[in-house]
Amino acid sequence: MDAGASVRLRRREMAAATSGAGRCRLSKVGSGRRPPPARVRVAVRLRPFVDGTSGTSEPPCVRGIDSCSLEVANWRNYQETLKYQFDAFYGERSSQQDIYAGSVQPILRHLLEGQNASVLAYGPTGAGKTHTMLGSPEQPGVIPRALMDLLQMTREEGAEGRPWALSVTMSYLEIYQEKVLDLLDPASGDLVIREDCRGNILIPGLTQKPITSFADFERHFLPASGNRTVGATRLNQRSSRSHAVLLVKVDQRERLAPFRQREGKLYLIDLAGSEDNRRTGNQGLRLKESGAINTSLFVLGKVVDALNQGLPRVPYRDSKLTRLLQDSLGGSAHSILIANIAPERRFYLDTVSALNFAARSKEVINRPFTNESLQLHVLAPVKLSQKELLGPSEVKKAQGSEEEEIGSPEPTAAPVSASQKLSPLQKLSSMDPAMLERLLSLDRLLGSQGTQGTPLLNTPRRERMVLIKTVEEKELEIERLKMKQKELEAKVLAQEASDPKEKENFSLTMLRPLPRRTVTAAKPLKKAVVMPLQLIQEQAASPSTEIHILKKKGRKRKVRLTGGLRCTSNLTELESLDASEPEEKAEDCWELQISPELLAHGRQKILDLLNEGSARDLRTLQRIGQKKAQLIVGWRELHGPFTQVEDLERVEGISGKQMESFLKANILGLAAGQRCGPS
């Protein structure tokens, strides 16, 4: 049993690491070490008998064994009991201070470390959850005690002389029928729940009130508590009809370098109790509210089961409540679950259900970490004098320009400012002044020794050498091109001085207009028809038979040239045409011609095939497929044999031009004794 329990615990730790902790590592600052696990701590509180039942002789169904365990009667066998063990058990005589000091107060210190914490009150309706969280003026609950201690701790840690400056804000909301409502601003309507890039749960538009004292907290919290939805049932006169969540955020800012920031959140959650509508007598709106409450609590149980079993998907998004508790269960918070139960036997099934949920919840593993970030502290810009910004050579140039201005009345250009010379370094105002002064001195030294005073401090050494070499090569190439241009200009001037007539002829030649001509159409492509080999052999054997398949035919076309220039044998001579002369040019083209004997022979063979051939034989003709062959056979059986090939038009509706192409496509193959495949 011990080995099996250890294996299950290891699986649950791995499941928690993949579900909640894996998401929360995104916002961890510091080393890559995984945060240590922290199991959800569970405390059970047994309320006393309510007025009206304390005087009866009804024995309780729950009995405490010690400070951590209790037993419940087994409803299957009253001779046995069901034993449960938790982190803490508080009996009927336990006070509000005992519960707060024993379970809630130890987790408040984690808020000052930049970590999250949450306290959940769970249990059936009428078990005392709201009393545990809020209490009364005589017996304050968890929420007022926690806020009082937290504000005291922040005042002490954020005092003058301490390294951190602290601020506290509060938000108060309720989840009513799957709607997130702001109790500090009821008119805001239904709010949405979001998740940022680091996996933190956010509610945009939720009101945040800064508080510095417990009086500030009461001024905001008490009116907001009156906005919470409550209703009367048979079991509770002031039954909570919604889940209430008080969010307290502690922001810390470091006063000295490295100016770190920390953020810790405290969730104080008063869950609505599960209800059995047969005993509460809910109807109408109360029945709808009860359905929404039971649904959200059912999803909460599914989340706990999925975390314990290590399932790949945890159904956080199935309910607004579980979505908001994503950090508390399987996430990055130190969580405390206070399960409230009732001693009466009529609450026996609700008590056993709450204890089973608490037993499953204590196996959930969280991985809290510190929400810490760094903020670059911006220093005031360093103001240096003009002499300190300028180098020695630049100071001399500035002095020389001033002397020239004094000696000559003509206006001169203003000297180049130091910001233009040292532009890469003028943007480093956030650096330490001593380091900035050293960098400025080094840049002045490089500017006086480098090429043209170019600041190259922000360039690596190897790239800087390559850049200097490239600049030198470009300068040499520019000088070479300038020399070549000067030589060409001198050569042209010398040629013009030696032969002025040649220059005049050249200018006249360059000014003559270019010839114009009309654009002729493209020549048509030549086409040819391939003859069967057997037919060619028959033609060679009987030369007397004249079968002309292709005939070369000449066609004349006129090409008209407009007035322009015409080239002669002498390329340097240009002659203008006074009038346009039409020219004729013959083009070769090919035309298909079939001898009458071959045409008659092919037509007879086609006619025989139409009258005697089967559908399979008809498909051997070009452009005759399966459907057309069946139509021909049917027409022949209905009207008799074909008298001529043109009768095929009545079957297929072929026009005369299509019939001609049909004959030309089939005559050659049939005349030569060849079979043409179907199209």
Side-chain angles (χ1 to χ4, degrees):
M1 291 297 293
D2 295 341
S6 62
V7 171
R8 287 195 300 271
L9 181 60
R10 193 177 302 111
R11 289 180 180 176
R12 284 191 293 269
E13 291 181 356
M14 293 175 62
T18 56
S19 62
R23 181 187 68 256
C24 297
R25 282 199 302 272
L26 294 174
S27 59
K28 182 182 178 182
V29 177
S31 61
R33 181 169 52 87
R34 293 177 59 190
R39 182 176 54 83
V40 175
R41 301 179 62 83
V42 178
V44 177
R45 182 182 189 184
L46 176 64
R47 69 162 174 79
F49 283 92
V50 296
D51 296 339
T53 60
S54 58
T56 62
S57 60
E58 178 186 0
C61 62
V62 181
R63 185 176 66 88
I65 299 176
D66 53 23
S67 61
C68 295
S69 58
L70 57 95
E71 61 180 1
V72 183
N74 188 359
W75 63 277
R76 292 187 177 90
N77 186 358
Y78 289 101
Q79 302 297 327
E80 298 177 356
T81 57
L82 302 176
K83 294 184 179 180
Y84 295 89
Q85 186 171 4
F86 301 100
D87 297 287
F89 171 71
Y90 301 99
E92 302 175 358
R93 299 184 178 181
S94 299
S95 63
Q96 299 276 57
Q97 177 63 26
D98 296 338
I99 298 171
Y100 172 74
S103 298
V104 179
Q105 193 176 20
I107 68 171
L108 296 181
R109 59 180 178 85
H110 298 294
L111 297 173
L112 301 182
E113 299 173 359
Q115 299 181 5
N116 299 335
S118 61
V119 180
L120 298 90
Y122 181 87
T125 180
K129 300 180 298 299
T130 305
H131 178 73
T132 300
M133 298 301 293
L134 296 180
S136 62
E138 297 78 15
Q139 297 180 357
V142 171
I143 290 178
R145 294 176 186 270
L147 264 296
M148 192 176 297
D149 287 351
L150 182 61
L151 292 172
Q152 180 64 26
M153 293 166 59
T154 55
R155 281 195 297 268
E156 294 176 357
E157 293 294 330
E160 292 293 335
R162 294 298 184 94
W164 295 90
L166 285 80
S167 62
V168 182
T169 59
M170 62 166 288
S171 302
Y172 198 23
L173 61 95
E174 70 170 351
I175 301 177
Y176 176 70
Q177 295 187 15
E178 288 301 304
K179 295 180 181 179
V180 180
L181 305 178
D182 190 354
L183 294 178
L184 294 175
D185 185 12
S188 60
D190 187 14
L191 302 178
V192 295
I193 301 177
R194 295 284 184 256
E195 183 176 358
D196 62 2
C197 60
R198 299 185 299 175
N200 299 323
I201 302 300
L202 305 174
I203 302 179
L206 183 63
T207 305
Q208 295 186 5
K209 297 291 186 179
I211 53 176
T212 57
S213 62
F214 189 75
D216 295 341
F217 168 72
E218 286 185 331
R219 186 174 64 255
H220 299 303
F221 181 77
L222 294 180
S225 299
N227 297 328
R228 186 181 178 186
T229 306
V230 295
T233 63
R234 291 180 182 176
L235 301 180
N236 191 356
Q237 293 298 321
R238 288 188 56 84
S239 175
S240 300
R241 314 311 297 167
S242 63
H243 309 292
V245 180
L246 175 64
L247 173 59
V248 181
K249 187 184 298 184
V250 180
D251 292 324
Q252 305 179 60
R253 298 178 182 271
E254 197 171 13
R255 292 190 172 99
L256 302 176
F259 307 103
R260 293 172 295 175
Q261 292 183 355
R262 291 178 180 175
E263 182 183 81
K265 297 178 183 179
L266 175 63
Y267 295 89
L268 299 171
I269 306 164
D270 180 14
L271 298 176
S274 58
E275 296 181 348
D276 185 357
N277 294 319
R278 294 171 297 181
R279 295 190 296 113
T280 57
N282 292 331
Q283 294 180 357
L285 180 60
R286 293 289 175 263
L287 184 62
K288 186 177 180 181
E289 294 170 350
S290 176
I293 292 171
N294 291 338
T295 301
S296 60
L297 294 177
F298 174 72
V299 176
L300 181 62
K302 287 172 57 179
V303 168
V304 172
D305 293 339
L307 292 173
N308 291 336
Q309 296 174 13
L311 298 181
R313 178 185 178 275
V314 182
Y316 288 115
R317 296 177 181 266
D318 292 356
S319 173
K320 295 288 184 67
L321 175 63
T322 53
R323 181 66 167 158
L324 194 60
L325 297 181
Q326 191 166 341
D327 284 339
S328 303
L329 297 175
S332 60
H334 297 271
S335 299
I336 299 293
L337 176 67
I338 303 176
N340 294 263
I341 57 177
E344 292 87 0
R345 286 190 175 273
R346 58 195 177 105
F347 290 101
Y348 173 77
L349 294 179
D350 295 331
T351 298
V352 173
S353 177
L355 292 175
N356 290 335
F357 175 80
R360 298 196 308 270
S361 299
K362 72 176 184 178
E363 306 297 335
V364 176
I365 303 298
N366 294 349
R367 292 190 177 273
F369 61 88
T370 301
N371 298 305
E372 185 176 289
S373 60
L374 296 177
Q375 180 187 16
L376 295 177
H377 188 71
V378 181
L379 294 177
V382 181
K383 296 183 180 180
L384 300 177
S385 62
Q386 187 176 4
K387 293 183 179 180
E388 292 176 346
L389 290 174
L390 296 177
S393 59
E394 296 171 353
V395 171
K396 292 180 180 179
K397 292 180 181 179
Q399 293 177 356
S401 62
E402 291 177 358
E403 293 176 358
E404 290 178 359
E405 290 179 358
I406 296 172
S408 61
E410 297 180 359
T412 57
V416 181
S417 63
S419 60
Q420 296 177 356
K421 289 289 184 180
L422 303 176
S423 57
L425 293 179
Q426 291 301 309
K427 301 178 181 179
L428 303 178
S429 59
S430 60
M431 297 182 61
D432 185 52
M435 180 64 68
L436 180 60
E437 179 63 27
R438 294 181 61 185
L439 289 176
L440 288 172
S441 302
L442 181 59
D443 191 72
R444 286 195 297 269
L445 180 61
L446 292 175
S448 60
Q449 297 180 359
T451 59
Q452 299 180 358
T454 304
L456 300 174
L457 185 61
N458 56 348
T459 307
R461 184 175 183 275
R462 183 176 297 177
E463 297 179 4
R464 185 165 66 249
M465 298 303 294
V466 173
L467 181 61
I468 293 175
K469 186 177 180 181
T470 305
V471 171
E472 293 177 353
E473 292 177 356
K474 295 297 182 181
E475 290 178 353
L476 292 176
E477 185 177 357
I478 291 172
E479 292 294 334
R480 187 164 53 251
L481 292 175
K482 288 182 179 180
M483 294 297 295
K484 189 174 181 180
Q485 182 180 2
K486 291 181 180 180
E487 292 177 358
L488 291 175
E489 291 177 355
K491 187 175 181 181
V492 171
L493 293 175
Q495 187 175 1
E496 291 178 356
S498 61
D499 194 358
K501 293 182 179 181
E502 185 177 355
K503 175 183 176 183
E504 183 179 358
N505 294 335
F506 179 76
S507 61
L508 291 175
T509 304
M510 293 298 294
L511 293 175
R512 287 181 180 272
L514 294 176
R516 293 181 299 168
R517 63 176 182 177
T518 58
V519 180
T520 59
K523 296 181 180 180
L525 298 176
K526 297 181 179 181
K527 300 181 181 179
V529 178
V530 181
M531 297 173 54
L533 179 62
Q534 185 177 357
L535 182 59
I536 296 175
Q537 292 175 357
E538 290 179 0
Q539 292 179 4
S542 57
S544 60
T545 306
E546 294 181 0
I547 302 176
H548 299 285
I549 302 300
L550 293 177
K551 182 178 179 181
K552 191 173 183 181
K553 184 178 180 181
R555 185 176 62 183
K556 294 182 179 180
R557 187 180 61 171
K558 294 182 179 181
V559 180
R560 182 177 299 274
L561 295 177
T562 60
L565 299 178
R566 183 175 60 187
C567 297
T568 60
S569 59
N570 189 4
L571 297 178
T572 61
E573 181 182 357
L574 298 176
E575 181 181 356
S576 62
L577 296 178
D578 297 336
S580 61
E581 298 178 358
E583 295 183 1
E584 295 184 354
K585 184 178 180 182
E587 292 184 356
D588 295 335
C589 62
W590 298 90
E591 185 180 9
L592 180 63
Q593 294 183 354
I594 303 176
S595 63
E597 295 83 1
L598 181 60
L599 183 60
H601 183 67
R603 292 172 66 89
Q604 184 62 36
K605 280 197 172 186
I606 293 175
L607 185 62
D608 295 341
L609 189 59
L610 292 175
N611 291 330
E612 300 175 0
S614 61
R616 183 176 181 181
D617 296 334
L618 291 173
R619 289 202 310 271
T620 60
L621 294 173
Q622 291 287 341
R623 304 183 183 179
I624 299 296
Q626 176 69 22
K627 186 176 180 179
K628 292 183 179 181
Q630 292 178 358
L631 291 174
I632 293 172
V633 172
W635 191 91
R636 187 176 62 193
E637 293 176 355
L638 184 62
H639 300 282
F642 293 90
T643 58
Q644 56 183 354
V645 180
E646 283 73 8
D647 293 342
L648 193 61
E649 298 180 7
R650 291 183 288 177
V651 179
E652 303 182 57
I654 303 177
S655 62
K657 187 177 293 185
Q658 293 176 347
M659 179 61 68
E660 183 181 355
S661 63
F662 170 76
L663 292 175
K664 289 180 181 179
N666 291 280
I667 280 175
L668 293 178
L670 293 174
Q674 300 289 334
R675 280 192 173 186
C676 303
S679 58

